[in-house]
Amino acid sequence: MKSTKFLSLFVILTLGLTSCKQEKKEDKTEPIETVDNAVKYIIKPNGTSVKWTAYKTTEKLPVGGEFATLNFDAKEGSTPQEALNNLEFAIPISNLLTKDESRDLKIKTSFFGAMLDTEIIKGKIKYINDAYVATITMNGVTEDLPLEVSITDERRVSLKGTMHLKDWNALGALEALNKVCFDLHKGADGVSKTWEDVAIEVNTYLRDK
C-alpha cells in the first residue's frame, strides 16, 4: 500500500512539474512582428507638369505652352491606377507660359478673359472600366476629356488628350483671341485661323514616399 501511494504521489508531482514547465514556455513566446512592405505610389504636384499645344494658320502650325503651377494634394495608392483615380486638381490661369510675354498676355486677357470663371481651371482624373478621363470645369462647363495613359517602369506616367473647345462653349473666346492675333495667325495663303482643338499632355512621376 505504501509503495502504491508513493507511486501515485510521484506521478502527481511529475505531472504538476511538467505542466508548469509548459506554461513557462508559453509565457516566453513573443508575438511575431509584421513589417508593412506594401508598395506605395504617390503623386505630388512638384513632380507634375501640364503642357498644351494649340494650332494656328491653315497649315496648322503648333504653338506650345504650359501651366507652371498645378495645385493638388499629394495622393497615394497601392497601384498607379489607385494613386491617379479621383485626384482633384486646380490650375491657375495666371501661371500660363509660352516663352513669349506678349502672347501670354493675349491668351490670358482675350481668350480666358472672355470666359466665365477666368482665374482657374478645375478638374478630376478618373479611372473607370480600365480607361482614364479628366473631368474638367472651364468656362462654367464641366465635360470629360478622354486620356491616353502610358506608364513606364511603373513610375513615370504620361497622360495625353485632345480638348475640343466647342465642348466647353469656348468658341467665342477662341474668336476673340483670333481677332487680336489676326495677322500673326495668317499663313502663306493669307488666311488667319486659330484651331479649336488643343493637345494636352500631363507628365508625372509616382514616388514611393
Side-chain angles (χ1 to χ4, degrees):
M1 293 292 291
K2 288 183 179 179
S3 60
T4 302
K5 290 181 179 180
F6 177 78
L7 180 60
S8 299
L9 180 61
F10 177 76
V11 171
I12 292 171
L13 290 173
T14 302
L15 290 174
L17 289 171
T18 303
S19 175
C20 289
K21 288 180 180 180
Q22 289 177 344
E23 289 178 0
K24 288 180 180 179
K25 287 182 179 179
E26 290 176 359
D27 291 340
K28 290 181 180 180
T29 303
E30 296 181 358
I32 299 174
E33 294 184 4
T34 58
V35 179
D36 183 8
N37 290 321
V39 177
K40 292 182 179 179
Y41 297 89
I42 304 173
I43 179 171
K44 296 183 178 182
N46 57 4
T48 306
S49 66
V50 180
K51 296 181 180 180
W52 53 266
T53 303
Y55 305 94
K56 65 179 183 177
T57 78
T58 53
E59 297 172 316
K60 206 170 186 178
L61 298 178
V63 178
E66 66 177 316
F67 290 101
T69 302
L70 177 62
N71 296 324
F72 62 86
D73 293 330
K75 188 174 178 296
E76 70 177 54
S78 58
T79 64
Q81 292 79 9
E82 186 177 310
L84 292 166
N85 189 36
N86 291 322
L87 185 148
E88 297 185 17
F89 60 87
I91 303 173
I93 293 169
S94 60
N95 288 308
L96 178 146
L97 298 173
T98 66
K99 297 181 180 180
D100 184 321
E101 291 184 3
S102 176
R103 182 192 293 140
D104 295 350
L105 182 61
K106 289 174 183 177
I107 295 173
K108 292 175 186 177
T109 57
S110 297
F111 179 66
F112 286 108
M115 296 185 187
L116 300 173
D117 304 322
T118 60
E119 295 182 356
I120 201 162
I121 299 171
K122 295 181 180 179
K124 177 190 287 189
I125 295 175
K126 298 177 183 178
Y127 181 71
I128 305 172
N129 298 326
D130 297 326
Y132 291 88
V133 297
T135 300
I136 297 176
T137 300
M138 183 179 74
N139 194 33
V141 178
T142 300
E143 285 289 336
D144 286 343
L145 173 66
L147 296 171
E148 293 182 3
V149 178
S150 63
I151 302 174
T152 59
D153 302 326
E154 294 190 332
R155 296 289 178 181
R156 299 188 184 280
V157 182
S158 175
L159 305 94
K160 298 180 180 180
T162 299
M163 174 180 281
H164 295 278
L165 296 176
K166 63 182 179 182
D167 295 337
W168 282 266
N169 294 339
L171 293 184
L174 184 67
E175 184 180 350
L177 177 63
N178 195 63
K179 285 182 179 179
V180 298
C181 299
F182 190 83
D183 290 332
L184 294 172
H185 288 195
K186 282 183 180 180
D189 56 5
V191 177
S192 180
K193 182 175 179 63
T194 307
W195 295 74
E196 69 102 4
D197 53 318
V198 180
I200 307 295
E201 181 176 352
V202 180
N203 290 290
T204 190
Y205 181 79
L206 298 174
R207 306 167 188 268
D208 56 6
K209 59 181 178 178

